[in-house]
Amino acid sequence: MQTTMTEGLGLGRAARWLGVALALAGLVWTALPAQAKDETGQWGQRLVHSEELPAEAVARFVRFHEKNVQTPAESARKTPPVLADTVAWTGKELDLTTKQSPYTLVIKVQGVALAEGEVGARLQGGWVLDGVTRMGLMSEMGQPKAHAGQLLELVGAALPVTLKEDRKVAPAIEFSTMRNLRMDSVRIEVWSGIRTSSPLELFMSWVPLVLGVVFLGFVWWARRQ
């Protein structure tokens, strides 16, 4: 009976300590995006191209959005975001090499929050190779809280692309929609090379292994009590 109670107390302590470890890992994971957002050069080792979209292209995005806003809500709900209509823009061709691969296309949207609350914009980034546009899925760029009239910059990045041979490639954007935002300008950046992981990202890569070792250690300790 005494042994059973001791084992129960030991397992209880193990569970509490494991809970604390998981909570700390959760806090670190929550803080990771905020810090990564502020890192310089987080998209690659070298900025090879930066370009502001023409005012006419941004105006086309805005007109497209305003037209879609007038669409009945029921019809809009029937069309998933991935399948929704878009309006596209293609940049000038760039001479990209395999040596500097991979390449990451970054999209930065500047604008003003129209009202208090969440702000978002959905664009996709991709490349035009041999006349064929190949887009990659990107999560919606957004900010959970904003004040009316607040100046904002929403940032998103397409998945890195590795070239098998040196070639001319043009960056491309497809705009779908935006929420609670007056879009003023859009800038693209092309980064080359593998980005450097932040200390937090390196730490988080070890978290599953560390938690496993901690759990096994506590179980072993509890059984010996």
Side-chain angles (χ1 to χ4, degrees), residues 13-115:
R13 294 193 191 98
R16 286 195 295 274
W17 278 105
L18 182 60
V20 171
L22 288 171
L24 290 174
L27 289 174
V28 172
W29 180 260
T30 302
L32 176 59
Q35 176 165 330
K37 188 190 300 183
D38 296 331
E39 290 178 5
T40 300
Q42 65 168 312
W43 309 113
Q45 299 297 326
R46 179 169 172 261
L47 178 63
V48 297
H49 179 72
S50 179
E51 181 178 357
E52 190 95 8
L53 267 65
E56 188 277 333
V58 177
R60 279 194 293 115
F61 292 171
V62 174
R63 289 195 300 270
F64 179 80
H65 168 72
E66 292 174 345
K67 178 182 178 181
N68 287 344
V69 168
Q70 299 173 5
T71 302
E74 186 64 28
S75 298
R77 280 198 295 269
K78 292 180 181 178
T79 306
V82 175
L83 302 178
D85 290 336
T86 60
V87 58
W89 171 86
T90 302
K92 65 179 182 180
E93 284 190 329
L94 307 174
D95 291 313
L96 304 184
T97 65
T98 58
K99 185 178 180 180
Q100 294 185 4
S101 290
Y103 292 93
T104 302
L105 178 64
V106 178
I107 304 174
K108 297 183 177 182
V109 176
Q110 293 84 28
V112 176
L114 298 176

Side-chain angles (χ1 to χ4, degrees), residues 127-139:
W127 308 91
V128 179
L129 296 88
D130 300 327
V132 179
T133 302
R134 302 173 184 177
M135 305 302 295
L137 291 178
M138 288 174 52
S139 58

